Amino acid sequence: EGTLTLTDAAGAEALAFQAQSPASLEGAWEITGYLVGSGETAAVTSPLVGTQPIVTFGPDGIVSGTAGCNQFSGGYGIEGSDITIGPLMSTLMACADDVTAQESAVMQALEGAATWSVSGTTAELRGATDTIQVTLSSLSATPFGG
């Protein structure tokens, strides 16, 4: 039932392991990098100091978060390792120009995602040409599936 128990020679429990859930994007993630630009000038950059962009993938197919100042939300769908995100909508609060540029780039990078993968407490969203669109670090991970 999802548990592996190792016993010693006397039959006493020595170690117990819980099966981990399959990798999932569901939950809250800190955006640690996002694609800026296109073509040969495209590069993955870190968020601005003092901002903490967060994206949450809900069990209901809704993705939401903040890219530094405004809130955004939209739909997402996953089929195997394929993902579609958006269109995303955002609130319209006035923000510093550099934060506004970050928000635009983050939303564009999320909407450009075509595949996803999770490794431990990190995830990558990649575009159709396998370019990294967004890198993520879990805010809701618990070690060993527990």
Side-chain angles (χ1 to χ4, degrees), residues 28-133:
W29 298 85
E30 180 177 3
I31 297 171
T32 56
Y34 58 95
L35 184 68
V36 175
S38 61
E40 292 183 19
T41 62
V44 175
T45 189
S46 299
L48 296 169
V49 174
T51 66
Q52 185 184 19
I54 294 173
V55 61
T56 300
F57 293 90
D60 54 0
I62 300 295
V63 60
S64 61
T66 179
C69 177
N70 284 288
Q71 302 292 314
F72 66 83
S73 65
Y76 80 98
I78 290 179
E79 188 171 317
S81 63
D82 293 340
I83 188 168
T84 55
I85 298 175
L88 297 175
M89 298 172 285
S90 174
T91 57
L92 299 173
M93 293 177 22
C95 309
D97 289 345
D98 57 347
V99 176
T100 298
Q102 174 177 285
E103 290 181 330
S104 177
V106 165
M107 289 175 50
Q108 185 175 2
L110 286 167
E111 289 178 337
T115 63
W116 68 280
S117 64
V118 172
S119 178
T121 59
T122 63
E124 286 184 350
L125 304 179
R126 291 182 171 262
T129 61
D130 203 35
T131 303
I132 293 176
Q133 295 290 121

